[in-house]
Amino acid sequence: MGCGSALSEFDCVAALGQSQANSVWESHWSTWITEADIQEMTSYGLNTIRIPVGYWIFEDLVYTDSEHFPQGGLAFLEQLCGWATDASMYIIIDLHGAPGAQVAQQPFTGQYASTAGFYVDYQYQRAYWFLGNMTELIFNGQHPAYGGVGMLEIVNEPIPNDSLNSEYYPNALAAIRAVEAQYNVPAAMQLSIQMMDARWGAGNPDADIPDLTLAAYDDHRYVKYESVPPTTQAGYLQTSCTDQLGGNWPLLIGEWSISPATADQDDPDLTNSVANMPFYTDWWSAQVQAYEMQDGWVFWTWKTDLGDYRWDYQLAVKVGVIPADVQDAYAFDCGAYRQ
């Protein structure tokens, strides 16, 4: 894309300039995920798509004198949602990049910020505006492409902050419900509203919310970052076969992979070599079985340019690590690892 060493969208747009950056991103959005990808997903039995977006997709929210983000993304989001809706997929739209950045020095926020600047009132106000506008697009009757959207995730992977639970969560829910009320959305059609669960470590999301109707929860289960004794094939399989999770309910595992601990991923028994593919098939199967005992899952991610099937669902199917039918996960028997 020509971003070179830039660590985020913000840095890349600042380096390229707005006009060139817009051209680069338009080309990327036009080709990276297409309707053929959606058809391929559904052919594998996948029925849910989680779409991470930044607040800057609504360009009126951007401080153009100090913030640098690609423009024109909203049309592509609508196009993607239209394809997914036509394919009868369930769509989660995730506020992945919050105003001011919810985590410091994390490219996924869209800006490699030195500090987490999200947790103040004026940034919360921008996030409420984002959520309200997204809800309006879904329900105002002018954008049928959003018909498959059933859930809004109100912020991805926040850090602990008292105001997150006492202010942001209840007010974010209220902003969404207010727009639904404006359009007389019946209770049965209201959006599920998703927060990171208590296991994530940013507090109990239920603590200050008076009405938890249609509240849902997200956990990102990257076993590679957990304590897995021992870090062997058998150790990973035992961990996933006995994974009980728990926490808030209903829980959807919104991100996970089949990548082992960074320190071990190049060990002979854990590389992404052909010889280790049967292990990775079994480990994928064990995780699917565990997460299906919750409210479902979304793999991170569908497609990458890393060339590593442990992070790339599409590639993993192509090379034969993940079966072309998701139900084949149940061909693996976890019994021996539950002794």
Side-chain angles (χ1 to χ4, degrees):
M1 293 178 62
C3 291
S5 60
L7 295 172
S8 68
E9 284 97 327
F10 186 111
D11 299 315
C12 184
V13 173
L16 294 178
Q18 192 69 61
S19 179
Q20 184 181 351
N22 288 350
S23 177
V24 165
W25 252 271
E26 181 178 0
S27 176
H28 171 70
W29 288 325
S30 297
T31 57
W32 185 246
I33 299 293
T34 68
E35 189 170 14
D37 286 281
I38 299 300
Q39 293 169 347
E40 187 177 356
M41 291 177 199
T42 57
S43 76
Y44 298 155
L46 302 177
N47 59 16
T48 301
I49 183 170
R50 177 176 180 257
I51 306 175
V53 299
Y55 71 94
W56 56 89
I57 203 162
F58 292 116
E59 292 163 18
D60 288 347
L61 279 173
V62 177
Y63 300 147
T64 54
D65 59 339
S66 59
E67 295 181 331
H68 311 284
F69 293 106
Q71 298 170 337
L74 190 59
F76 290 95
L77 174 63
E78 185 162 350
Q79 181 181 63
L80 173 57
C81 286
W83 293 331
T85 295
D86 289 346
S88 299
M89 296 190 83
Y90 185 85
I91 303 169
I92 303 166
I93 294 181
D94 152 41
L95 178 53
H96 212 73
Q102 68 270 35
V103 188
Q105 298 180 331
Q106 268 288 0
F108 75 70
T109 67
Q111 47 193 309
Y112 201 73
S114 58
T115 58
F118 174 56
Y119 305 95
V120 293
D121 182 66
Y122 80 93
Q123 301 289 29
Y124 287 168
Q125 294 298 325
R126 292 208 286 171
Y128 305 149
W129 195 96
F130 168 92
L131 294 167
N133 246 37
M134 191 62 70
T135 306
E136 183 167 355
L137 286 179
I138 295 166
F139 291 118
N140 68 10
Q142 300 176 34
H143 302 273
Y146 293 104
V149 179
M151 182 178 291
L152 292 183
E153 182 163 12
I154 57 180
V155 65
N156 176 70
E157 295 190 356
I159 60 175
N161 186 283
D162 289 344
S163 68
L164 176 74
N165 294 282
S166 64
E167 294 180 38
Y168 180 67
Y169 282 160
N171 290 332
L173 268 71
I176 294 167
R177 297 292 183 236
V179 176
E180 290 174 331
Q182 178 184 343
Y183 287 100
N184 298 311
V185 177
M189 294 181 61
Q190 288 182 336
L191 295 167
S192 291
I193 300 174
Q194 190 178 42
M195 301 159 283
M196 299 301 297
D197 80 330
R199 281 171 48 97
W200 176 251
N204 181 3
D206 292 351
D208 294 287
I209 297 175
D211 183 357
L212 292 169
T213 303
L214 291 177
Y217 306 92
D218 186 8
D219 191 20
H220 295 171
R221 186 69 170 120
Y222 291 115
V223 181
K224 72 179 281 121
Y225 301 127
E226 304 284 338
S227 297
V228 181
T231 51
T232 61
Q233 291 187 6
Y236 285 110
L237 288 170
Q238 183 174 31
T239 295
S240 294
C241 283
T242 58
D243 201 342
Q244 298 298 311
L245 294 171
N248 305 93
W249 182 265
L251 178 66
L252 185 145
I253 310 304
E255 295 184 20
W256 61 283
S257 75
I258 51 173
S259 178
T262 302
D264 304 315
Q265 64 186 8
D266 294 323
D267 288 356
D269 288 342
L270 293 172
T271 65
N272 58 358
S273 66
V274 172
N276 291 331
M277 285 182 177
F279 157 67
Y280 283 109
T281 300
D282 291 346
W283 192 26
W284 170 83
S285 299
Q287 291 191 74
V288 168
Q289 291 179 35
Y291 308 151
E292 286 286 344
M293 289 189 287
Q294 305 302 316
D295 214 40
W297 52 269
V298 181
F299 190 87
W300 186 271
T301 185
W302 166 248
K303 176 189 291 189
T304 76
D305 56 7
L306 299 174
D308 186 344
Y309 62 73
R310 296 173 293 188
W311 290 100
D312 188 321
Y313 200 101
Q314 184 185 56
L315 178 61
V317 174
K318 287 180 179 177
V319 300
V321 170
I322 293 179
D325 183 349
V326 69
Q327 293 301 318
D328 287 350
Y330 291 93
F332 174 70
D333 183 3
C334 264
Y337 297 97
R338 293 177 178 145
Q339 303 298 324

